[in-house]
Amino acid sequence: MRTADTIKKGEVAIIDKILPSELTLNLMEMGFLPGKRISLLQRAPLKDPMAFRLENTVIALRKTEAQLIEVILEN
Amino acid sequence: MPEVLTPEKLSTFTVALIGNPNVGKTTIFNRLTGLRQKVGNYPGVTVDKRFASLKIGDQNTTIIDLPGTYSIYPNSEDEVIVHRVLNGLDKTSKPDFVLAVVDMSSMERGLFLVTQIMDLGLPMAVVLNMSDTAEEQGIKVKTHQLYKALGVPVIQTNARSNKGISGITDLIGDQMFEQPASFLESDRLLPEQLSTAIQERFSLDNSYQAYQLIRFHDKEPILSHEESEWLRQEIKGADFDIKSTQLQETQDRYAAIQQVLETVVEKTDMKKKRLTDMLDKVLLHKIGGYAIFLGILLVIFQAVFAWSAMPMDLIDGFFASLSASVAGLLPEGLLTDLITEGIIPGIGGVVIFIPQIALLFAFLGILEDTGYMSRVVFLMDRLMRPFGLNGKSVVPLISGIACAIPGIMATRNIGNWKDRLITIMVTPLMSCSARLPVYVILIGIAVPAANIGPFNLQALVMLGMYLLGVVAVLVTAWVLKLVLHFNERSYLMVEMPLFRVPRWKDVLITVYSKSKTFVFEAGKVILAISIVLWVLATYGPSSAREEAIAAVEVPADGASEEEMLDYQHTLESAELESSYIGIAGRFIEPAIRPLGYDWKIGIALITSFAAREVFVSTMATLYSVGSEVEDELTIQEKLKSEVNPTTGEAVFNLATAISLMVFYAFAMQCMSTLAVVYRETKGWKWPLIQTVYMTALAYVSAFIAYQLFS
């Protein structure tokens, strides 16, 4: 299973599930939910953090947080 | 159907504005209240609350603006406020009604918070804001359908263009808030027996409130020991797992919201390239992004130092002449002295920083309002991390170049405690504007006004002092990261909002209210200390004073005005030397001798513990420049010619001046900062640690500097 930190620019993925951790709720509250489409918008210089497009919002996460989001690539 | 809550209208009531970050809550608040708003502090917690009293019709209302939050389960310090207010833990600000603001283009997340508030059972209304952006993105909402689904009034607005604001005013005026039925069957979350038991014991209205109490009973000191013990037993008896339940709640809630949204939202796919995305390509570029940020920082620097110089001079002059004219008006005496030498200069010492602070707040406000600040967080996060800081620490640190107080207050939105604490601990090391006059005088004494290539040597040293502060911040943060152990995971989740043109009026309101807070926060402390210092500098053991005064040669009759003035100054200086402060200065002399200071500098160190800028006025008095002479050049001349009576050498040589600058760069000489750190960390532990480590750092570094240069 891939996690969100491996998404490349131009790829669109569907969130499959959020791995259990103390941040699971925080991620879900911000809108990272199973079934949502997510894509990578920008990587900060030094590759971290990453800015994800989630629906109509852009949210920056560190790599370690993105690793909590399991995704399935579209197509 | 929702029950109508208010058959009889309340004549005074409180409305709380709640919503996710970046949904326009504050714009709505500003539109509703204009300049009537006040900033207060939440009792027991340390986040500003902005509130304003409004008269709508014949009713008095109080509107409170709460920090943005994604849910009623708090993560960061400012979200705790929302939790406290909603659960009535702050008796003074328990709202009668809630006005929940939702960004129309991300309804799902907004409704998550809205439905949680609904389940608490608070009478409320929903504002769908930013209708313009939603429309641009092809989102339409059937307001009436949403009203039917939620059972609370729904208003569509676009607060930036003032659209729909009158609707909100009417809604508040007519108290059309409605108490919703609970959205989620929270009975399913909590075993019925447990729920009933808790509701009965704490007289709560519904099971969601009972659930909240379970969730927070050990975090808030709201329950007595006996009560929380009882609750613990009950939870244990019911075999209730809060974590998995909360996960379940989140999933159920989103599923239910999804169902609602299917019926109320119409979405057409717009393949329009967003301006924000294009701007981000430039602003977040791996080289260009930093270059732009650096450019912005330089402009801010320029503003804080160059543009504010003139108004600061004016304020300085004003307080000097105020002091002089009050002295002329009032009869001579101790009370007059207290007013003209203690109180007025004390107030002046705070007011003089207003231009710098207002300018800095204006810039930060604009950067925040356009949406750029979260990009800075994004750019800087990785760079700050090795030092135990994070992207969000950048704003406090930048604020620190004007004043550490707003900087420390700006740490509140850092989600995890360790990062926040480290930021609080190091922010005072940034060279704040109070150090500037100290640097100016000492550089003028010690550093020749020569040029190295195209650069002015004095300017280079000044830049060096600022860089020294930055280096100290990074090194200290790194050390703290190694030393402090908290079982907490450092994380970063920041929403990057759409870029927008700043709302100038809102920026002005923010500048005004924040500057006001600064003046009163810092003012209280500096004023109090100024008075204490004045007393200590005015009084001394009577025998010593009489001796000192008697030792000053009284000029002969017919002495020139100049001689009389000289006599006056020498007398003042002698009095200060024999005062309690003078005695203290002599007392600490052995300790500061290795740094190259004499007891007179010792006096200045003591007096400027309250605030650094006091150094200049103390020096002026000590070296009998006369208190009316505000000219820094005069002080410089005097200090330069000062000779140590025992060694016959100049007191202020290069080594002493550099050592003193380094000391002022690092020492925690600011009572107001200490007071703010006390408030923010809720205890004396951290401010004490901070004072000790900064003073130690200052002492050791000044010692090294003195040895290197002498």
Side-chain angles (χ1 to χ4, degrees):
Chain A
M1 186 64 77
R2 292 181 68 170
T3 46
D5 58 308
T6 64
I7 300 177
K8 293 186 183 63
K9 261 196 181 176
E11 290 178 341
V12 178
I14 308 274
I15 298 178
D16 186 52
K17 75 177 211 227
I18 312 288
L19 295 173
S21 96
E22 64 224 84
L23 296 178
T24 311
L25 275 173
N26 301 19
L27 285 167
M28 292 175 83
E29 284 167 7
M30 300 231 13
F32 290 95
L33 296 165
K36 296 276 162 207
R37 301 172 89 196
I38 172 175
S39 58
L40 177 69
L41 211 66
Q42 287 277 351
R43 252 176 212 276
L46 300 173
K47 312 248 180 235
D48 196 14
M50 309 165 80
F52 291 102
R53 171 58 116 0
L54 176 77
E55 305 269 285
N56 285 315
T57 55
V58 178
I59 299 172
L61 298 179
R62 286 185 187 165
K63 228 172 166 168
T64 44
E65 280 102 64
Q67 279 164 354
L68 298 172
I69 303 171
E70 282 197 347
V71 296
I72 300 168
L73 281 191
E74 227 174 32
N75 306 323
Chain B
M1 276 308 281
E3 81 182 84
V4 178
L5 178 88
T6 47
E8 278 175 57
K9 285 186 181 174
L10 300 163
S11 62
T12 60
F13 57 92
T14 305
V15 180
L17 274 167
I18 300 181
N20 293 164
N22 306 312
V23 294
K25 273 186 316 303
T26 301
T27 316
I28 291 176
F29 180 70
N30 287 344
R31 291 275 182 274
L32 289 174
T33 62
L35 274 174
R36 271 168 295 229
Q37 47 198 259
K38 299 183 194 75
V39 179
N41 210 54
Y42 287 97
V45 217
T46 53
V47 179
D48 287 339
K49 85 174 152 186
R50 300 209 298 148
F51 60 98
S53 300
L54 269 185
K55 207 171 158 70
I56 302 177
D58 48 1
Q59 292 144 354
N60 288 313
T61 59
T62 304
I63 317 260
I64 313 179
D65 186 24
L66 290 170
T69 178
Y70 291 105
S71 101
I72 56 175
Y73 304 115
N75 299 318
S76 65
E77 197 66 24
D78 40 9
E79 293 179 359
V80 173
I81 296 306
V82 179
H83 163 74
R84 289 179 64 99
V85 170
L86 284 179
N87 288 281
L89 302 180
D90 289 331
K91 298 281 174 280
T92 48
S93 51
K94 177 151 171 53
D96 299 292
F97 305 112
V98 171
L99 194 63
V101 186
V102 173
D103 173 359
M104 212 166 119
S105 57
S106 60
M107 296 262 293
E108 195 168 36
R109 216 170 48 181
L111 287 185
F112 187 80
L113 180 64
V114 167
T115 59
Q116 282 183 326
I117 300 168
M118 285 171 63
D119 287 351
L120 283 178
L122 290 165
M124 62 187 297
V126 172
V127 174
L128 291 181
N129 194 28
M130 322 234 273
S131 54
D132 57 335
T133 355
E135 270 161 37
E136 273 170 34
Q137 294 173 8
I139 294 169
K140 280 205 179 99
V141 178
K142 295 181 211 153
T143 315
H144 188 70
Q145 292 285 93
L146 186 62
Y147 165 68
K148 282 208 292 195
L150 299 180
V152 294
V154 178
I155 298 184
Q156 247 187 57
T157 62
N158 184 22
R160 273 175 189 263
S161 63
N162 230 357
K163 200 182 112 197
I165 296 296
S166 61
I168 300 180
T169 319
D170 292 346
L171 181 130
I172 296 175
D174 297 340
Q175 295 180 22
M176 289 189 302
F177 300 91
E178 282 174 34
Q179 177 151 28
S182 66
F183 182 78
L184 207 63
E185 286 300 323
S186 43
D187 298 339
R188 278 193 322 206
L189 295 170
L190 210 57
E192 201 186 329
Q193 223 179 343
L194 180 63
S195 168
T196 322
I198 297 174
Q199 286 182 53
E200 266 172 26
R201 166 128 193 182
F202 297 100
S203 47
L204 301 174
D205 302 329
N206 59 45
S207 67
Y208 198 65
Q209 289 181 358
Y211 173 61
Q212 292 286 303
L213 198 61
I214 294 181
R215 173 75 166 68
F216 290 108
H217 73 279
D218 51 352
K219 297 233 165 81
E220 290 280 352
I222 39 170
L223 301 181
S224 70
H225 179 72
E226 186 203 344
E227 285 172 326
S228 54
E229 195 48 47
W230 177 85
L231 201 59
R232 240 193 305 281
Q233 290 302 329
E234 288 291 311
I235 299 167
K236 216 171 139 198
D239 202 16
F240 181 73
D241 179 20
I242 182 75
K243 267 214 164 123
S244 61
T245 311
Q246 207 185 332
L247 215 59
Q248 192 62 48
E249 184 208 335
T250 308
Q251 277 160 2
D252 291 357
R253 193 174 291 283
Y254 268 119
I257 290 168
Q258 203 55 56
Q259 282 187 340
V260 171
L261 288 183
E262 270 166 28
T263 60
V264 300
V265 174
E266 268 176 41
K267 230 169 156 179
T268 36
D269 220 4
M270 309 268 268
K271 290 265 180 256
K272 214 170 97 187
K273 196 106 174 105
R274 302 195 306 178
L275 178 66
T276 292
D277 296 344
M278 292 184 262
L279 278 173
D280 271 340
K281 281 224 161 67
V282 182
L283 294 173
L284 300 179
H285 187 268
K286 55 178 178 260
I287 299 161
Y290 290 105
I292 293 169
F293 180 45
L294 201 66
I296 292 173
L297 278 186
L298 285 177
V299 173
I300 294 179
F301 246 88
Q302 178 73 15
V304 168
F305 298 114
W307 303 355
S308 59
M310 220 190 33
M312 287 176 85
D313 284 346
L314 286 177
I315 293 171
D316 201 14
F318 169 77
F319 275 93
S321 64
L322 180 69
S323 199
S325 50
V326 170
L329 279 175
L330 295 177
E332 247 176 70
L334 274 178
L335 187 65
T336 308
D337 284 355
L338 173 65
I339 294 170
T340 57
E341 290 166 21
I343 295 175
I344 294 179
I347 297 172
V350 177
V351 174
I352 192 162
F353 291 108
I354 291 179
Q356 287 187 332
I357 282 164
L359 268 172
L360 187 80
F361 279 136
F363 275 103
L364 293 181
I366 292 167
L367 294 183
E368 187 74 55
D369 208 48
T370 50
Y372 182 72
M373 216 44 123
S374 60
R375 272 75 182 180
V376 172
V377 172
F378 183 72
L379 280 175
M380 296 301 288
D381 182 66
R382 182 67 186 79
L383 297 179
M384 305 294 276
R385 233 183 292 165
F387 302 104
L389 300 166
N390 77 37
K392 289 185 176 177
S393 312
V394 174
V395 180
L397 293 177
I398 298 174
S399 306
I401 59 173
C403 176
I405 294 165
I408 285 166
M409 295 201 285
T411 61
R412 285 167 187 165
N413 67 353
I414 299 179
N416 65 322
W417 172 238
K418 185 176 175 180
D419 289 7
R420 178 163 178 237
L421 182 63
I422 294 180
T423 311
I424 290 175
M425 295 295 272
V426 299
T427 298
L429 290 170
M430 293 296 283
S431 275
C432 68
S433 45
R435 288 164 171 108
L436 197 61
V438 181
Y439 292 166
V440 167
I441 286 189
L442 293 170
I443 287 178
I445 292 170
V447 183
N451 278 350
I452 298 185
F455 300 108
N456 176 291
L457 188 57
Q458 292 186 330
L460 283 179
V461 174
M462 182 67 88
L463 181 68
M465 292 313 295
Y466 277 89
L467 291 179
L468 190 65
V470 175
V471 171
V473 162
L474 295 179
V475 173
T476 311
W478 180 76
V479 172
L480 286 171
K481 180 186 131 178
L482 297 183
V483 176
L484 297 176
H485 288 283
F486 293 109
N487 274 336
E488 212 189 354
R489 171 182 185 144
S490 170
Y491 68 94
L492 184 85
M493 287 181 202
V494 199
E495 183 170 352
M496 309 220 282
L498 295 177
F499 279 111
R500 297 237 177 206
V501 179
R503 297 151 291 183
W504 300 108
K505 203 177 142 197
D506 289 7
V507 171
L508 281 181
I509 290 176
T510 311
V511 167
Y512 170 77
S513 66
K514 286 205 173 171
S515 306
K516 206 167 95 180
T517 319
F518 163 77
V519 171
F520 288 107
E521 285 294 331
K524 270 188 301 205
V525 182
I526 294 185
L527 187 59
I529 302 284
S530 305
I531 293 172
V532 171
L533 285 178
W534 176 85
V535 170
L536 292 180
T538 309
Y539 293 95
S542 47
S543 58
R545 283 182 75 75
E546 277 157 24
E547 263 174 50
I549 293 167
V552 180
E553 209 176 305
V554 183
D557 284 341
S560 72
E561 202 174 314
E562 203 173 319
E563 281 170 319
M564 279 311 287
L565 214 58
D566 251 7
Y567 166 69
Q568 275 293 329
H569 293 158
T570 320
L571 193 66
E572 270 173 32
S573 175
E575 280 176 348
L576 185 55
E577 286 175 30
S578 62
S579 69
Y580 288 113
I581 288 233
I583 294 165
R586 284 191 192 276
F587 180 73
I588 65 163
E589 190 174 21
I592 54 175
R593 171 116 335 255
L595 311 183
Y597 313 154
D598 65 357
W599 61 274
K600 284 189 176 179
I601 301 178
I603 293 177
L605 288 186
I606 295 171
T607 55
S608 57
F609 183 71
R612 298 175 178 89
E613 65 274 17
V614 175
F615 173 82
V616 178
S617 55
T618 308
M619 281 306 192
T621 314
L622 276 172
Y623 291 105
S624 28
V625 180
S627 49
E628 308 94 58
V629 184
E630 292 286 322
D631 194 350
E632 283 160 355
L633 284 175
T634 323
I635 304 177
Q636 275 178 8
E637 287 304 311
K638 278 275 181 187
L639 296 187
K640 262 188 186 171
S641 59
E642 182 73 10
V643 172
N644 185 322
T646 43
T647 60
E649 284 168 24
V651 171
F652 284 94
N653 52 26
L654 179 71
T656 299
I658 299 276
S659 159
L660 204 49
M661 274 197 282
V662 170
F663 191 90
Y664 272 84
F666 295 152
M668 168 50 103
Q669 290 159 305
C670 183
M671 283 292 183
S672 327
T673 302
L674 277 179
V676 170
V677 174
Y678 164 75
R679 260 187 21 190
E680 297 290 324
T681 60
K682 302 182 189 98
W684 281 113
K685 181 181 169 192
W686 294 111
L688 280 176
I689 293 177
Q690 192 173 34
T691 311
V692 170
Y693 101 75
M694 286 180 69
T695 310
L697 180 67
Y699 190 90
V700 173
S701 317
F703 177 74
I704 295 172
Y706 184 67
Q707 300 304 325
L708 278 180
F709 285 91
S710 65

